[in-house]
């Protein structure tokens, strides 16, 4: 390869990383689908976690000494920038669609979420890998505790529509942490925190340049929360995964299964059927259909299809990546 070919090859590599980022961003906007799992499928998970973990005192020292080249190499900056461009493009491209689906096809969309989250929860449970009967019972108890806590949280009246930019910042911190946990969806966490519809709506409007100053403030605070959460908690999450991997997976599995109450496809509420989703969501609660007709069976079919889809993605990930997830998380 000549020196003239090098920039061209680097640009091609950037485009590949941007395309991978686009797939991750599109996945992250769908509750129940993990961008971390997509990173595993595409073979960039270890590189991503390593790059994020290098935001530390050593990197800050390089920046303070103005060693820009060394800092960029330590951070794998070119890779991260290309990936970030793709992630943002993918998320923005799909946010409007997801927002519209929640508004106009709520039950079918919830059915898709239900199938996606159920399959993801079961896959997270498979990651527990207890080695003794004592660990097995510990996983069962921790999983049951996760189910109970999640159910109590999502079934409480008044959990939705928490005001204030402080809560928005916290949601950003929590949601972004799922990016380095394959099997756990950041959008799923935002759905539980009742921020998903608001954020996707703002992104949808931003693409059409139809946002208010309040919308921009909300999005900027949310993005800041994502940045702080990723930098502050990445090492903690790595440490928890390495030191307490089995227990962490058990709790996450229970939490995901217990929170399915929130996305049961068939919901009733006090608001009119044609009211905006934000108004309907405040009083929505799961119900059992009085009869099963074409609509109900369609919703169940959507849930089943999404359930199978997640299992297929996981099978592809396992075929392309032989090591278990814990082995991809470098020790602190």
């Amino acid at each position: 390869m000549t020196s003239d070919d090098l920039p061209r090859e680097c640009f091609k590599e950037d485009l590949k990383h941007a395309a991978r980022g686009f797939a991750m961003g599109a996945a992250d906007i769908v509750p129940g689908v993990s961008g971390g799992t997509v990173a595993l499928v595409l073979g960039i998970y270890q590189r991503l976690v390593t790059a994020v973990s290098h935001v530390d005192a050593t990197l800050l020292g390089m920046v303070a000494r103005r060693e820009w080249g060394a800092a960029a190499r330590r951070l794998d900056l070119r890779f991260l920038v290309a990936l970030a461009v793709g992630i943002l493009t993918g998320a923005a491209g799909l946010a409007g669609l997801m927002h519209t689906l929640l508004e106009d096809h709520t039950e079918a969309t919830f059915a898709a979420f239900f199938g996606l989250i159920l399959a993801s929860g079961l896959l997270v449970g498979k990651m527990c890998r207890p080695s003794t009967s004592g660990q097995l019972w510990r996983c069962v108890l921790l999983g049951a505790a996760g189910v109970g806590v999640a159910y109590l949280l999502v079934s409480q009246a008044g959990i939705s529509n928490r005001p204030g930019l402080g809560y928005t910042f916290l949601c950003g911190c929590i949601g972004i942490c799922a990016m380095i946990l394959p099997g756990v969806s950041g959008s799923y966490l935002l759905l539980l925190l009742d921020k998903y519809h608001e954020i996707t709506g703002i992104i949808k409007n931003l693409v059409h340049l139809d946002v208010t100053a309040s919308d921009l403030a909300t999005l900027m605070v949310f993005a800041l929360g994502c940045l702080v959460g990723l930098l502050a908690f990445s090492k903690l999450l790595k440490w928890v995964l390495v030191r307490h991997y089995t227990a962490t997976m058990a709790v996450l599995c229970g939490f995901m299964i217990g929170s399915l109450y929130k996305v049961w496809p068939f919901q009733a509420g006090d608001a009119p059927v044609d009211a905006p989703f934000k108004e309907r969501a405040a009083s929505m609660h799961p119900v059992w259909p009085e009869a099963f007709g074409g609509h109900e069976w369609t919703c169940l079919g959507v849930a089943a299809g999404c359930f199978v889809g997640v299992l297929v993605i996981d099978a592809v990930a396992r075929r392309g990546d032989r090591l278990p997830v814990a082995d991809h998380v470098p020790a602190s």
Side-chain angles (χ1 to χ4, degrees):
M1 180 184 298
T2 66
S3 58
D4 293 335
D5 293 330
L6 186 58
R8 185 181 307 159
E9 290 300 318
C10 290
F11 181 68
K12 288 182 180 179
E13 194 69 13
D14 292 339
L15 288 179
K16 289 180 182 178
H17 293 322
R20 291 165 178 146
F22 184 91
M24 289 179 62
D28 273 324
I29 209 70
V30 180
V33 181
S34 167
T37 298
V38 174
L40 265 178
V41 172
L42 299 175
I44 58 172
Y45 179 73
Q46 184 175 7
R47 185 173 180 180
L48 174 61
V49 174
T50 300
V52 173
S53 70
H54 283 167
V55 180
D56 52 16
T58 302
L59 178 68
L60 294 178
M62 291 177 177
V63 173
R65 295 189 298 271
R66 299 184 180 182
E67 298 173 356
W68 308 118
R73 287 190 296 272
R74 176 171 177 78
L75 190 58
D76 205 353
L77 186 61
R78 186 160 184 157
F79 164 74
L80 287 182
V81 169
L83 198 68
V85 169
I87 289 173
L88 292 174
T89 305
L94 202 58
L97 173 62
M98 299 308 301
H99 184 85
T100 301
L101 289 175
L102 276 175
E103 287 284 358
D104 301 334
H105 306 282
T106 305
E107 290 191 341
T109 305
F110 268 34
F113 291 172
F114 190 92
L116 293 167
I117 294 170
L118 176 60
S120 296
L122 295 178
L123 291 177
V124 169
K126 286 177 61 178
M127 295 178 186
C128 288
R129 303 195 305 268
S131 57
T132 65
S133 59
Q135 279 194 347
L136 175 61
W137 281 109
R138 186 185 179 195
C139 286
V140 171
L141 292 175
L142 288 172
V147 170
V149 170
Y151 175 78
L152 288 175
L153 286 175
V154 302
S155 62
Q156 293 297 314
I159 191 174
S160 61
N161 301 322
R162 294 180 183 268
L165 293 178
Y167 183 67
T168 300
F169 178 84
L170 179 63
C171 289
C173 290
I174 295 173
I176 198 64
C177 291
M179 178 174 264
I180 60 174
L181 286 174
V184 183
S185 164
S187 294
Y188 152 77
L189 294 179
L190 292 180
L191 192 68
L192 295 186
L193 296 168
D194 288 292
K195 273 293 175 182
Y196 179 79
H197 187 258
E198 179 183 0
I199 296 300
T200 55
I202 294 174
I203 295 174
K204 174 188 175 183
N205 293 336
L206 182 63
V207 172
H208 297 92
L209 301 179
D210 182 23
V211 290
T212 64
S214 176
D215 290 339
L216 288 176
T218 297
L219 194 60
M220 290 176 64
V221 169
F222 179 78
L224 181 61
C226 290
L227 178 62
V228 172
L230 187 62
L231 298 181
F233 298 134
S234 59
K235 290 185 179 294
L236 173 62
L237 288 174
K238 278 198 309 170
W239 182 86
V240 169
L241 283 174
V242 172
R243 306 295 181 184
H244 305 285
Y245 179 81
T246 298
T248 302
M249 293 299 107
V251 172
L252 286 174
C253 173
F255 194 83
M256 297 178 78
I257 299 301
S259 62
L260 286 171
Y261 176 90
K262 189 175 183 68
V263 290
W264 174 247
F266 310 110
Q267 303 270 339
D270 300 328
V273 177
D274 58 349
F277 176 80
K278 188 173 182 179
E279 295 179 14
R280 288 182 282 128
S283 62
M284 282 168 47
H285 58 275
V287 296
W288 187 259
E290 295 181 0
F292 278 86
H295 173 70
E296 286 74 21
W297 285 113
T298 298
C299 289
L300 293 179
V302 169
C306 291
F307 180 90
V308 172
V310 171
L311 298 184
V312 170
I313 291 174
D314 178 72
V316 173
R318 292 179 183 277
R319 182 176 301 175
D321 195 300
R322 299 296 180 181
L323 295 176
V325 172
D327 294 337
H328 282 282
V329 184
S332 300

